[in-house]
Amino acid sequence: QVQLVESGGGLVQPGGSLRLSCAASGSIFSIYAMGWYRQAPGKQRELVATITITSAGITHYADSVKGRFTISRDNAKNTVYLQMNSLKPEDTAVYYCNAGPHPTMINGRDYWGKGTLVTVSS
């Protein structure tokens, strides 16, 4: 199995920045992509950004964060980052790290961290 531990959340003013980190451990050889999701109070969990754990490092972003957030990874450290700039109050949510296998992998499963709270407020 895979363990994911997020860090870097906290309180920040609108327009400010935060950098989230997600460290993966365990049977990480099966991981194809990692990403960040968030869940605000009363809302469904939504995808924020993903990146493949390949040399290409293909990324995908939700429209709401394009141009403001950047996902990156350090495969040597088994860590994925989310640089969040120009933060808005609507970015307030619990942010969860996700790791998943290639879609064709038999018996593959997704893994989730416990989440880190990001609060954007003046």
Side-chain angles (χ1 to χ4, degrees):
Q1 59 269 36
V2 175
Q3 295 80 46
L4 304 174
V5 179
E6 305 101 330
S7 62
L11 175 65
V12 64
Q13 292 185 319
S17 299
L18 281 176
R19 190 193 194 201
L20 305 182
S21 298
C22 175
S25 61
S27 302
I28 59 176
F29 62 87
S30 63
I31 300 302
Y32 175 72
M34 296 180 66
W36 292 92
Y37 292 69
R38 67 186 182 187
Q39 186 168 21
K43 295 186 177 181
Q44 297 290 319
R45 187 175 299 187
E46 64 176 351
L47 183 146
V48 177
T50 61
I51 186 168
T52 58
I53 310 304
T54 62
S55 59
I58 301 172
T59 59
H60 179 265
Y61 297 92
D63 288 340
S64 60
V65 306
K66 287 181 179 177
R68 299 189 298 120
F69 291 9
T70 302
I71 189 170
S72 61
R73 82 279 190 272
D74 185 340
N75 287 349
K77 297 181 178 179
N78 299 319
T79 300
V80 170
Y81 307 94
L82 184 68
Q83 179 66 46
M84 304 184 293
N85 299 325
S86 301
L87 283 162
K88 305 174 181 179
E90 49 264 45
D91 294 319
T92 296
V94 176
Y95 284 71
Y96 297 91
C97 183
N98 167 266
H102 191 278
T104 61
M105 181 179 176
I106 299 175
N107 295 324
R109 60 162 289 181
D110 285 288
Y111 297 89
W112 295 91
K114 294 183 178 180
T116 184
L117 177 63
V118 172
T119 302
V120 184
S121 179
S122 59

